[in-house]
């Protein structure tokens, strides 16, 4: 059976990237590797839409999230977190772990955030040193107004704006410099179409001032070490050589496609799934659905966990279940990674078949038809 990954990371990796990574491993302190790293970092700047420094960290996305906290804050600092799901909550946990004080604006799972609340909080508590937000909250499939938040934070010269773009970057519009993002975090196993294992962080001039003055203890994630090494396109510690080789290839593909086209492709896939689900009577969980991940509410009485494991067993399709309070209630489909229009059709067909198996009667092809209209403009 053919295996298809629709999980919001890890995702399927394109053959040309897999073949690059299958080449013999080279040493990480050689001119050959440093040139690959240089090209990868230049590609990342395009991917991030930034002229700022971008660093590669060997570690999953959470490592880069942790890097933002330990470099930009000092113990005791107050930081505002906009949280509406599992990964917003992760920022809160990280901030507490390092003895800083989170001030949380809870948007509610699946809801967008009220920008006036952010502005009022920053006006009332000028001691807030950083604002943390998420581009796409993977647990709910929700997009946040990062541009709007960035505008507000940019008016505060002492406050930096940190964004978790792990799920969204490359799938939805995000312009680091234009949107005043001081630190943008991302990971390899999402829209970059790579295996998991490396993460990224961009740092603005404003953020460097914070880093240089920070009193937080840190070692592996000390970005000053990364900056020094990056002068020669080197890394302070042994880099994940194979993944960086794959990264260079993947970024080359993205550059060729064009980042705006990539956003458009994801928009079309997400719309196809949304219309397909509406046609069979299923709702999306999010009130501000993203083009990166779609969370679909299952009909009452269907166990999401079992639904996902049967999708895998019966059709070879991996979709994700719900997390925490959404466990068993939703399924989540990613639109990033090595997928094409026919994969989107396949997952919709799989969902229709599985719903019928569970007694929720759907005329086969109803959702597929709606999706085809979007995907193929028919
Ligand atoms: N933030 C978001 C938005 C994510 O989707 C994820 C991973 N699903 C993470 C953070 C954590 O990344 P990782 O699992 O790579 O550490």
């Amino acid at each position: 059976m053919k295996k298809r990954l629709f999980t919001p990371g890890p995702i399927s990796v394109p053959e040309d990237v897999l073949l690059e990574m299958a080449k013999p491993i080279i040493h990480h302190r050689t001119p050959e590797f440093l040139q690959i790293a240089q090209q990868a970092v230049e590609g990342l700047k395009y991917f991030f839409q930034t002229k700022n420094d971008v660093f590669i960290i060997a570690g999953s996305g959470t490592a880069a999230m942790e890097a933002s906290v330990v470099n930009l804050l000092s113990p005791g600092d107050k930081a505002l977190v906009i949280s509406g799901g599992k990964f917003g909550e992760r920022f809160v946990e990280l901030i507490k772990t390092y003895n800083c004080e989170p001030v949380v604006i809870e948007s509610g799972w699946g809801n967008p955030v009220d920008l006036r609340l952010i502005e009022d909080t920053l006006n009332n508590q000028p001691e807030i040193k950083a604002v943390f937000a998420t581009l796409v909250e993977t647990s709910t499939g929700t997009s946040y107004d990062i541009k709007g938040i960035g505008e507000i934070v940019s008016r505060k010269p002492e406050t930096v704006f940190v964004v978790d773009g792990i799920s969204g970057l490359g799938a939805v519009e995000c312009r680091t410099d234009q949107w005043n993002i001081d630190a943008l975090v991302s990971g390899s196993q999402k829209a970059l179409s790579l295996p998991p294992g490396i993460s990224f962080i961009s740092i603005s001039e404003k953020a460097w001032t914070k880093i240089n003055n920070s009193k937080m203890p840190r070692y592996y994630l000390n970005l000053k070490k990364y900056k020094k090494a990056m002068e020669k396109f080197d890394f302070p510690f042994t880099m994940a050589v194979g993944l960086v080789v794959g990264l260079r290839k993947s970024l080359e593909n993205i550059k060729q496609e064009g980042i705006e086209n990539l956003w458009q492709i994801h928009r079309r896939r997400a719309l196809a799934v949304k219309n397909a689900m509406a046609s069979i009577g299923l709702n999306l969980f999010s009130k501000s659905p993203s083009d990166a991940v779609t969370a679909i509410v299952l009909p009452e009485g269907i166990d999401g966990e079992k639904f996902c494991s049967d999708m895998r067993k019966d059709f070879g399709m991996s979709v994700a279940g719900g997390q925490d309070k959404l466990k068993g209630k939703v399924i989540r489909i990613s639109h990033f990674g090595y997928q094409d229009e026919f994969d989107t059709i396949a997952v919709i067909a799989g969902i229709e078949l599985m719903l019928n198996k569970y007694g929720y009667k759907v005329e086969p092809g109803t959702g597929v038809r709606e999706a085809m209209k979007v995907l193929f403009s028919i």
Side-chain angles (χ1 to χ4, degrees):
M1 190 190 292
K2 182 175 177 185
K3 290 196 169 45
R4 298 170 204 254
L5 283 181
F6 297 102
T7 40
I11 37 61
S12 301
V13 178
E15 273 164 42
D16 57 355
V17 176
L18 288 173
L19 288 172
E20 276 295 303
M21 292 191 301
K23 288 180 178 167
I25 291 295
I26 54 177
H27 192 268
H28 61 289
R29 310 262 186 232
T30 54
E32 194 186 351
F33 181 65
L34 298 186
Q35 193 191 7
I36 292 170
Q38 177 174 2
Q39 289 164 351
V41 169
E42 278 159 11
L44 279 173
K45 289 189 185 195
Y46 173 71
F47 190 64
F48 275 60
Q49 295 284 290
T50 188
K51 292 196 168 59
N52 293 337
D53 296 318
V54 183
F55 302 104
I56 306 173
I57 298 170
S60 78
T62 308
M65 289 174 84
E66 187 152 345
S68 72
V69 171
V70 299
N71 284 278
L72 291 164
L73 299 179
S74 291
D77 277 357
K78 254 192 193 181
L80 177 63
V81 184
I82 289 106
S83 172
K86 191 164 174 60
F87 296 104
E89 287 167 8
R90 184 161 301 179
F91 266 140
V92 175
E93 286 166 16
L94 279 163
I95 288 164
K96 282 186 185 158
T97 300
Y98 286 96
N99 296 321
C100 296
E101 194 185 324
V103 176
V104 184
I105 292 180
E106 181 51 76
S107 67
W109 282 46
N111 295 335
V113 67
D114 181 353
L115 295 187
R116 279 168 313 178
L117 224 59
I118 300 173
E119 186 145 37
D120 290 349
T121 309
L122 290 179
N123 286 339
N124 295 336
Q125 301 184 62
E127 68 279 18
I128 287 174
K129 296 288 197 301
V131 176
F132 290 81
T134 312
L135 179 62
V136 171
E137 174 54 71
T138 322
S139 58
T140 64
T142 300
S143 264
Y144 285 90
D145 181 0
I146 296 303
K147 184 181 180 199
I149 305 171
E151 256 167 46
I152 295 169
V153 184
S154 72
R155 294 197 285 271
K156 306 283 171 197
E158 298 303 319
T159 311
V160 285
F161 185 31
V162 182
V163 176
D164 167 359
I166 292 173
S167 236
L169 199 60
V172 304
E173 184 178 6
C174 183
R175 301 178 188 271
T176 305
D177 294 353
Q178 277 181 34
W179 292 5
N180 304 293
I181 303 171
D182 294 301
L184 179 63
V185 165
S186 195
S188 54
Q189 77 276 26
K190 311 266 184 177
L192 274 169
S193 301
L194 287 169
I198 48 175
S199 52
F200 320 100
I201 184 166
S202 71
I203 297 291
S204 71
E205 279 301 319
K206 189 175 175 187
W208 273 119
T209 312
K210 291 265 179 237
I211 294 173
N212 291 329
N213 295 323
S214 162
K215 305 210 163 35
M216 190 72 80
R218 55 199 184 218
Y219 191 89
Y220 186 72
L221 296 175
N222 186 346
L223 290 178
K224 286 196 209 168
K225 292 186 206 276
Y226 286 76
K227 183 161 176 74
K228 188 158 190 308
M230 192 46 66
E231 283 163 16
K232 291 190 245 126
F233 295 96
D234 200 354
F235 303 95
F237 312 106
T238 307
M239 189 29 76
V241 171
L243 285 170
V244 174
V245 168
L247 173 67
R248 177 181 65 165
K249 181 68 191 166
S250 186
L251 287 164
E252 207 180 281
N253 292 345
I254 287 168
K255 188 85 198 273
Q256 224 165 35
E257 178 69 56
I259 193 84
E260 275 153 1
N261 275 351
L262 207 61
W263 298 335
Q264 180 60 27
I265 288 167
H266 288 84
R267 194 170 307 138
R268 219 172 25 238
R269 286 182 198 154
L271 181 65
V273 170
K274 183 179 172 202
N275 288 2
M277 292 305 114
S279 74
I280 57 174
L282 298 195
N283 293 321
L284 306 193
F285 177 76
S286 179
K287 296 197 177 63
S288 168
S290 81
D291 297 330
V293 185
T294 299
I296 300 158
V297 182
L298 288 174
E300 277 295 317
I302 297 184
D303 173 10
E305 294 303 290
K306 185 136 184 7
F307 192 97
C308 293
S309 89
D310 281 357
M311 285 281 282
R312 208 163 41 243
K313 272 191 265 171
D314 293 4
F315 309 136
M317 294 182 194
S318 291
V319 300
Q323 294 170 290
D324 292 352
K325 59 175 135 181
L326 291 184
K327 208 176 177 77
K329 299 198 173 92
V330 300
I331 56 168
R332 295 172 302 137
I333 300 171
S334 75
H335 306 297
F336 44 61
Y338 184 39
Q339 302 189 24
D340 66 9
E341 284 74 13
F342 290 100
D343 289 309
T344 307
I345 295 289
V347 75
I348 293 167
I351 292 170
E352 287 187 359
L353 291 168
M354 198 51 70
L355 286 168
N356 277 308
K357 174 175 166 176
Y358 280 90
Y360 180 90
K361 292 299 169 202
V362 172
E363 175 67 26
T366 310
V368 164
R369 200 165 138 253
E370 290 309 309
M372 285 178 77
K373 287 187 200 162
V374 175
L375 294 168
F376 304 108
S377 310
I378 52 172

